[in-house]
Amino acid sequence: MRIPRSLTLMTLLTVAAPATAQELEPTTLSAWRIPIHTAPDDPETGEYGIWAAGPDYKVSFHDGFTFYPVLGESYPENLPLRWETESIAVGSTRIADADSPTRATYTDWRYELHYPGVVEAYDVRPDGVEQTFTLTRRPVGATAGDDLVVTGRWHTQLTSADRSARHDRLVFCDDRGKPLVEYGAPVALDAAGRRCEMTASLANGVTRLTLDAGWLDRATYPVIVDPLTRPLELGLGDIRSGDIAHGPTNVMFLVESRYNSAGDEDATGRLLNNRFANERVVFADISSNYHSRNAEVAYVAGARYGSFAQGYGRWVVAVEVNYSGPSTIYAYIHNVAGPTMNGGEYLYMNGHPGSESRPTIGGSVSMTSDHALIVFQRDISGDDDRVTSIIVDASDPTPSFGTPTTVDLTPGYRGIWPNVTRNSDGPNSSWVVVWLNVGTPAHSSGDSTGKMARIDHNGAVAGRYPFAYGYIGVPKIDGRQGRYLVVWQDTHPGFPDYHLRARRFDWDESSYLPAVLTGRSIASAPTGTVDNVLDLGANRSVAYDSNTQSHWAVAYQNMAQDGGLVRVGFTAGVVESVQPSSHQVYDTFLCYNPDDYEFPVVMDVRFEQSGEHAVHTRRFQYDPHAESSTYGIGCGGTISANNAGLHAPPYAGSEFLGIDLTGGVQGARTLLVVSTQKGKILLPDGCFFNVGDSWTAAAIGTTDAFGNAYAGPFNLGDEPLFTGVLNWQWLQVVPGKGVVLATEGLRTEVH
């Protein structure tokens, strides 16, 4: 039977400072490599085209070979370099020209244009694009002593000085003279392995690649002409925003948005396992026709795919697309382990008034739900942004959007920067969204309001609540099972410190208002310099541990790009913290991995000396020493930690530590004792008292008809934070006999 708790464990444990987290060293995620692909035409801009990308460039092939160096946010627009083949000739014998019939083919990493007798090909490599011209045989009509000449015209805003023919690279610079792209010194190879250096000239935007006639006369066909186009500025493409979600066992989906330039953002998505390995790019939107940004992803466990419900589980990616004017949002839906690049369905949110931006998405962990929820910011007339939501039915054969719902429209205020919980529990549960309300025009005092709403599984608003007032920044939230944590920035200029505030609340499905619990400062920094302002970033920076149902991880950085990562417990107190990287951290996002009981973390970091960006990952883990184990000799029943049926080792900040007695005597009076010390005292009836002298009665009660009892749940505090060792033992008095039986001891190490 359940026995009421009668003990505050904090009287026995030791007050401690937040611990440094146990975690693995950071690893570098492989840089962007997006295979050659296409996608459905965009409703606004038309044809998507044929694209690919490397770590520091992207390239298109639908309008000739066009090379885009990644320039980063500091460049206002792209500066592409497009090559147009004008002719391929041996002496006066022209093999191909711009009007020649061609046949285009491509595989993941190679694009080919087939002319009669020659193949113009482009190999997409990590360091650049290798251009080749392959002559399969000596051209009919060519005579000895004729040079092979490939003539191409450049179309670009970049500049390169005209020059006479020589074996050397061509370097293309921006308007300040900074080198950005190199077209490598060409060489020729024949089938016998012989090699010949070629010359390259440049005049009025036209390049002539020339192969010596004497070498060509002796060559064994096929003959290959081989220059390489590569970027000269590396690591400029910082990750503007991103998200990571965990789905079925050992599968995660990572989305990122990268600045190609300030005028062009690209989005991509890749599947990987729990160790950030076995990556496979399955989604890309890298057209230069528009911005693809603010991508988020959610997993919908009950979404069906295939004509006859062949399987369950689909990813839904929400992407903001910004054209020259207003923005809109689309959803990309991908089967759980679908191997085909851009092989899912696209839903476009067109035909609605205004501009839609900053999407955030929640999925569902229930096999009985095929719904996701996208929440976004809608601006109808230029200064009346309102938080809006829309349901996504993610199942085949016809995934669809529902009807948009206005979550909140407060007269005189703009609703901006929504953020929604990552998952719901199914058809009978909700998502919770938070956002920032600011005045129109913004109050000169800087005041704003943090608001939240509960949205049921059909998209209806089921409750609203203002959770904070004053000088607050962009809020973030996560939670499930009725348990939530909201975090926001507090930048009041009159306070001595900047703070990150966190507040716990529970929200029952039957209630319009939440039960607001404790609020804490979880990080602070002195005021006086803008570099100290604490920032949650544009990404999902809060994640909920659905196993313990007591912990959340929060990632943040300050304006000087120093990162922080904390874990908080059931009252929002900090129990562990870590600096996630020794480098500058620009953006951080994370989720929870229930398979391995850890938080996968992704960071855009910048190396101070080189200025290059890279994507680092970490696995934010619990202390492995937090565990319960038996000791000593028992003579009546079995003692164990119950944890309310959860995976909840005795972590500091846990709300649900329980102690079980099984296999005892039916109807026996029971006493659960606890001490910080072990003992081994022989009792009169031959059992041992396994806890030390300074013991406390934790619970008193009676066993049930099966001889079982339960005490708890006991709270392991997070603020003040307590750690240490607790030793437990059940004692039973046998009815009618007065005999005392005792279990083994249970040692619980709280970390």
Side-chain angles (χ1 to χ4, degrees), residues 609-655:
Q609 291 186 343
S610 67
E612 295 183 16
H613 285 258
V615 178
H616 281 187
T617 65
R618 300 195 85 141
R619 293 159 53 206
F620 191 23
Q621 300 177 314
Y622 289 94
D623 190 325
H625 299 100
E627 59 183 3
S628 297
S629 58
T630 56
Y631 66 91
I633 300 172
C635 66
T638 300
I639 188 172
S640 62
N642 175 283
N643 305 322
L646 308 173
H647 171 83
Y651 300 135
S654 290
E655 190 174 3

Side-chain angles (χ1 to χ4, degrees), residues 284-350:
D285 189 348
I286 62 173
S287 168
S288 62
N289 294 336
Y290 46 77
H291 293 276
S292 302
R293 62 187 182 190
N294 294 329
E296 284 196 5
V297 61
Y299 180 64
V300 183
R304 304 175 303 280
Y305 60 86
S307 301
F308 301 99
Q310 296 168 346
Y312 288 84
R314 309 189 86 188
W315 306 98
V316 182
V317 181
V319 183
E320 175 188 342
V321 179
N322 178 252
Y323 307 106
S324 57
S327 298
T328 189
I329 292 166
Y330 74 82
Y332 171 71
I333 304 173
H334 193 87
N335 294 348
V336 60
T340 305
M341 174 86 163
N342 287 354
E345 290 111 338
Y346 291 76
L347 299 177
Y348 292 93
M349 198 182 298
N350 294 320

Side-chain angles (χ1 to χ4, degrees), residues 365-387:
V365 298
S366 171
M367 290 295 295
T368 62
S369 170
D370 58 5
H371 282 183
L373 179 76
I374 298 177
V375 185
F376 54 95
Q377 181 179 322
R378 169 173 283 170
D379 183 5
I380 300 294
S381 60
D383 202 22
D384 68 343
D385 300 77
R386 72 277 310 270
V387 176

Side-chain angles (χ1 to χ4, degrees), residues 4-320:
R5 178 177 50 198
S6 63
L7 172 70
T8 301
L9 297 182
M10 302 308 103
T11 60
L12 299 176
L13 295 172
T14 304
V15 178
T20 299
Q22 303 293 315
E23 55 175 347
L24 301 182
E25 286 301 306
T27 58
T28 301
L29 203 63
S30 64
W32 276 40
R33 285 205 71 203
I34 301 175
I36 301 170
H37 67 281
T38 188
D41 294 346
D42 182 81
E44 294 288 334
T45 61
E47 183 180 2
Y48 176 82
I50 300 172
W51 293 87
D56 299 290
Y57 70 90
K58 67 178 180 180
V59 58
S60 68
F61 299 108
H62 50 273
D63 188 23
F65 163 52
T66 307
F67 188 87
Y68 294 75
V70 171
L71 304 174
E73 191 178 2
S74 63
Y75 280 78
E77 61 182 353
N78 290 329
L79 295 173
L81 181 69
R82 183 167 73 88
W83 165 279
E84 178 188 4
T85 301
E86 292 195 336
S87 65
I88 305 169
V90 177
S92 61
T93 302
R94 181 163 292 202
I95 307 169
D97 57 30
D99 297 324
S100 298
T102 61
R103 177 174 56 89
T105 62
Y106 64 86
T107 58
D108 281 354
W109 305 109
R110 183 177 174 88
Y111 185 89
E112 294 182 343
L113 288 170
H114 296 260
Y115 303 92
V118 64
V119 177
E120 178 181 344
Y122 297 89
D123 289 289
V124 179
R125 301 178 4 176
D127 56 342
V129 178
E130 183 178 19
Q131 180 189 49
T132 57
F133 298 89
T134 303
L135 278 71
T136 57
R137 61 187 181 275
R138 187 171 181 85
V140 175
T143 59
D146 288 337
D147 292 337
L148 168 65
V149 179
V150 177
T151 303
R153 180 175 295 276
W154 297 108
H155 302 270
T156 184
Q157 297 180 52
L158 300 174
T159 60
S160 186
D162 286 358
R163 72 171 206 204
S164 59
R166 67 175 184 267
H167 179 70
D168 198 1
R169 62 180 184 162
L170 296 174
V171 176
F172 293 86
C173 304
D174 65 13
D175 56 4
R176 295 168 293 180
K178 184 176 184 178
L180 293 180
V181 180
E182 174 187 285
Y183 185 73
V187 298
L189 300 167
D190 75 354
R194 297 169 60 240
R195 183 176 185 274
C196 179
E197 293 182 350
M198 299 175 62
T199 63
S201 65
L202 178 63
N204 299 318
V206 175
T207 287
R208 290 166 59 91
L209 309 177
T210 303
L211 175 60
D212 176 70
W215 187 91
L216 184 62
D217 290 342
R218 299 187 300 273
T220 303
Y221 284 83
V223 170
I224 300 173
V225 175
D226 185 10
L228 173 70
T229 305
R230 69 183 185 94
L232 294 177
E233 288 292 316
L234 306 179
L236 297 180
D238 56 309
I239 302 304
R240 181 184 186 274
S241 62
D243 190 20
I244 187 169
H246 194 276
T249 302
N250 201 30
V251 182
M252 298 191 294
F253 196 115
L254 171 67
V255 293
E256 303 159 278
S257 296
R258 179 177 77 171
Y259 273 117
N260 208 65
S261 68
D264 182 21
E265 296 169 63
D266 298 330
T268 186
R270 41 185 159 171
L271 293 173
L272 28 72
N273 66 19
N274 290 349
R275 300 294 183 269
F276 295 103
N278 295 342
E279 300 173 43
R280 184 169 70 253
V281 176
V282 294
F283 165 70
D285 189 348
I286 62 173
S287 168
S288 62
N289 294 336
Y290 46 77
H291 293 276
S292 302
R293 62 187 182 190
N294 294 329
E296 284 196 5
V297 61
Y299 180 64
V300 183
R304 304 175 303 280
Y305 60 86
S307 301
F308 301 99
Q310 296 168 346
Y312 288 84
R314 309 189 86 188
W315 306 98
V316 182
V317 181
V319 183
E320 175 188 342

Side-chain angles (χ1 to χ4, degrees), residues 274-604:
N274 290 349
R275 300 294 183 269
F276 295 103
N278 295 342
E279 300 173 43
R280 184 169 70 253
V281 176
V282 294
F283 165 70
D285 189 348
I286 62 173
S287 168
S288 62
N289 294 336
Y290 46 77
H291 293 276
S292 302
R293 62 187 182 190
N294 294 329
E296 284 196 5
V297 61
Y299 180 64
V300 183
R304 304 175 303 280
Y305 60 86
S307 301
F308 301 99
Q310 296 168 346
Y312 288 84
R314 309 189 86 188
W315 306 98
V316 182
V317 181
V319 183
E320 175 188 342
V321 179
N322 178 252
Y323 307 106
S324 57
S327 298
T328 189
I329 292 166
Y330 74 82
Y332 171 71
I333 304 173
H334 193 87
N335 294 348
V336 60
T340 305
M341 174 86 163
N342 287 354
E345 290 111 338
Y346 291 76
L347 299 177
Y348 292 93
M349 198 182 298
N350 294 320
H352 301 297
S355 180
E356 296 113 356
S357 62
R358 294 171 178 160
T360 177
I361 186 168
S364 176
V365 298
S366 171
M367 290 295 295
T368 62
S369 170
D370 58 5
H371 282 183
L373 179 76
I374 298 177
V375 185
F376 54 95
Q377 181 179 322
R378 169 173 283 170
D379 183 5
I380 300 294
S381 60
D383 202 22
D384 68 343
D385 300 77
R386 72 277 310 270
V387 176
T388 307
S389 67
I390 193 167
I391 290 288
V392 181
D393 183 337
S395 282
D396 270 345
T398 54
S400 60
F401 279 128
T403 301
T405 299
T406 299
V407 177
D408 185 72
L409 179 59
T410 304
Y413 282 83
R414 299 171 59 217
I416 60 175
W417 286 108
N419 183 242
V420 72
T421 49
R422 204 174 289 272
N423 289 296
S424 81
D425 284 310
N428 298 315
S429 67
S430 302
W431 297 273
V432 177
V433 60
V434 294
W435 68 93
L436 193 63
N437 257 21
V438 297
T440 53
H443 298 314
S444 58
S445 64
D447 285 352
S448 50
T449 304
K451 300 186 75 173
M452 63 174 62
R454 183 168 64 84
I455 302 175
D456 70 21
H457 215 68
N458 295 313
V461 177
R464 295 187 185 90
Y465 183 76
F467 64 84
Y469 299 91
Y471 290 78
I472 72 170
V474 176
K476 305 290 180 178
I477 189 173
D478 201 21
R480 236 183 72 211
Q481 300 150 323
R483 302 167 62 81
Y484 305 95
L485 180 84
V486 61
V487 184
W488 69 94
Q489 306 135 290
D490 187 337
T491 57
H492 196 293
F495 292 169
D497 297 305
Y498 299 118
H499 288 272
L500 280 186
R501 306 282 183 188
R503 177 161 292 149
R504 273 276 295 112
F505 62 96
D506 292 344
W507 206 332
D508 188 85
E509 290 295 326
S510 62
S511 175
Y512 187 83
L513 296 176
V516 181
L517 306 177
T518 48
R520 314 279 192 196
S521 170
I522 62 172
S524 63
T527 58
T529 170
V530 70
D531 284 349
N532 285 347
V533 174
L534 300 174
D535 181 19
L536 289 166
N539 310 304
R540 296 216 211 220
S541 45
V542 181
Y544 170 62
D545 181 340
S546 56
N547 292 115
T548 70
Q549 298 184 15
S550 298
H551 297 90
W552 287 259
V554 181
Y556 65 92
Q557 59 270 345
N558 63 22
M559 300 300 284
Q561 280 73 55
D562 293 324
L565 191 61
V566 298
R567 183 174 11 251
V568 303
F570 73 100
T571 75
V574 176
V575 295
E576 291 182 281
S577 63
V578 68
Q579 182 179 356
S581 176
S582 59
H583 304 290
Q584 291 181 327
V585 178
Y586 276 69
D587 280 296
T588 309
F589 41 98
L590 71 167
C591 68
Y592 181 66
N593 166 14
D595 301 338
D596 301 310
Y597 317 118
E598 64 188 22
F599 296 89
V601 182
V602 182
M603 301 165 286
D604 173 28

